[in-house]
Amino acid sequence: MGKNTIIKLNRINKHFGDLHVLRDVSLQVEENEVVVVIGASGSGKSTLLRCINFLEVPESGTVTIHAEKVTSARGKLHRVRKKVGMVFQHFNLFPHMTVLGNVTEGLLHVEHLTKSNARQRGREMLDKVGLADKAQVYPAVLSGGQKQRVAIARALAMRPEVMLFDEPTSALDPELVGEVLQVMKQLAMEGMTMLVVSHEMGFAREVGDRVLFMDEGRIVEQGASEQIFARPKQKRTREFLDRIL
């Protein structure tokens, strides 16, 4: 493993009942790299992401994060998950907590920061995603795009080494997508290592250092974003892109 490899998956397999969702998937993500995973619904993209931090446990294969093999052992899994921020399609905010409360919850109960330090870092992260003025409001009054930016701030507050984004804009109204993608672009420019599952092809092309195309649980093709979009080598990749572009 290269010294700057953050994530390494080796021959990951996952079934849901009789459905073979991931088939011998191997993948490396290097430090500061933005990798975007594209493909039709049901191709295994989200399951791949969830296997990295063992939200789904693969039946075979290995997951390594920064040279540490991920296992179900509680202490080790807890340690690895602290390195990996995750943003979901649905925001999973606590409705009974303020925006700042949502962002600081992990800092208080996982990182054991003092309340004042947690609040300071939480405000810094809200400022980073353009929501400093929303610290004391409750999620119910926010737009979908604002909720997703709070979710990003919450993940960033834990100072992860890598960020996983699972279709972060697919639950949003079209006019709200841009504000979330803008925050993600800014993170990419700052050098955050990111693995992103997305249907936003413009983002994949513009921000992705590398694009993976998945189909039926396999990585069919991967390469520099410009190559995948302009000169895909595989017939299946071409068919997919012709249909959606």
Side-chain angles (χ1 to χ4, degrees), residues 99-151:
V99 164
L100 185 60
N102 270 278
V103 175
T104 57
E105 177 76 356
L107 297 176
L108 293 168
H109 299 292
V110 179
E111 294 282 279
H112 305 298
L113 264 59
T114 65
K115 193 174 263 188
S116 66
N117 285 348
R119 290 171 74 86
Q120 183 182 345
R121 192 188 297 178
R123 288 181 189 281
E124 286 169 10
M125 293 304 118
L126 287 172
D127 189 41
K128 191 176 185 68
V129 300
L131 291 173
D133 59 329
K134 301 294 184 189
Q136 299 307 324
V137 307
Y138 287 85
V141 304
L142 300 179
S143 70
Q146 289 171 327
K147 287 176 185 171
Q148 192 60 292
R149 285 188 283 151
V150 173

Side-chain angles (χ1 to χ4, degrees), residues 84-103:
V84 181
M86 185 146 185
V87 176
F88 300 88
Q89 180 175 347
H90 299 288
F91 328 113
N92 301 344
L93 300 179
F94 295 115
H96 63 286
M97 289 184 179
T98 64
V99 164
L100 185 60
N102 270 278
V103 175

Side-chain angles (χ1 to χ4, degrees), residues 223-240:
S225 57
E226 200 46 52
Q227 179 256 308
I228 294 291
F229 284 103
R231 299 178 304 284
K233 294 180 176 141
Q234 301 297 325
K235 178 169 178 272
R236 184 69 193 91
T237 315
R238 285 197 298 275
E239 289 170 354
F240 173 77

